Amino acid sequence: MTLEWEQVMVDAADPAALGQWWAEALGWVVVDASPDEYEIRPAENRLPGLLFTSVAEKKVVKNRLHLDFRPDDQNAEVARLLAHGARHADVGQGDDEPWVVLADPEGNEFCVLGPRRT
C-alpha cells in the first residue's frame, strides 16, 4: 500500500480569511477559494497543502495537532508573524524551551522552532 500526504484539514469559522492569512504567512499559493473550503499549497502542484473548512463551533481547547516551523532566524520570524497578526500562546510550554508557541487569528497554535540541534 502506498499513501501520499495530501493535506492537513483546518477547521475555521472563516475559511477564506484564515486560509488567506496562512497563505500570506507562508508565502503559499491559493489553489481553491470555494465559499466553504480554502486550500493553499507551497506551489500549485506541490503537496502537502492546508485545507480550511467551515465549522460552526469555536475552538475551545489546545489543538491536538499543530504545525512546527524551523526558520533560519527564529527571532525575526516570530516578529514577522506577530506583526502579521499571530499572537503568543501558552500551552504549558514553560519559559526555557527552544521554541516559541504562537496562535493564528482563530487561535490555532503553532510553533516556531529554534536552531536544529546537531
Side-chain angles (χ1 to χ4, degrees), residues 63-77:
N63 292 29
R64 293 189 68 178
L65 173 73
H66 70 264
L67 302 173
D68 285 350
F69 300 99
R70 190 177 309 276
D72 293 332
D73 183 334
Q74 182 188 42
N75 292 332
E77 192 60 26

Side-chain angles (χ1 to χ4, degrees):
M1 177 189 287
T2 302
L3 293 174
E4 181 178 17
W5 181 10
E6 178 81 14
Q7 59 207 2
V8 173
M9 303 289 294
V10 180
D11 292 347
D14 186 342
L18 191 59
Q20 187 59 46
W21 187 89
W22 276 104
E24 292 169 4
L26 297 173
W28 287 15
V29 299
V30 177
V31 296
D32 181 11
S34 303
D36 292 328
E37 291 187 346
Y38 199 92
E39 184 179 1
I40 64 172
R41 294 182 185 172
E44 188 171 341
N45 294 313
R46 187 168 158 218
L47 298 172
L50 293 173
L51 178 61
F52 300 85
T53 59
S54 182
V55 295
E57 66 274 2
K58 292 186 178 208
K59 181 181 174 300
V60 179
V61 297
K62 177 177 101 84
N63 292 29
R64 293 189 68 178
L65 173 73
H66 70 264
L67 302 173
D68 285 350
F69 300 99
R70 190 177 309 276
D72 293 332
D73 183 334
Q74 182 188 42
N75 292 332
E77 192 60 26
V78 167
R80 184 185 75 80
L81 290 163
L82 290 170
H84 185 57
R87 59 178 165 62
H88 285 280
D90 182 357
V91 295
Q93 69 269 22
D95 294 329
D96 295 328
E97 300 299 344
W99 60 82
V100 176
V101 182
L102 299 178
D104 69 19
E106 289 199 13
N108 299 298
E109 300 91 5
F110 62 97
C111 292
V112 182
L113 305 176
R116 187 177 304 282
R117 296 179 191 163
T118 55

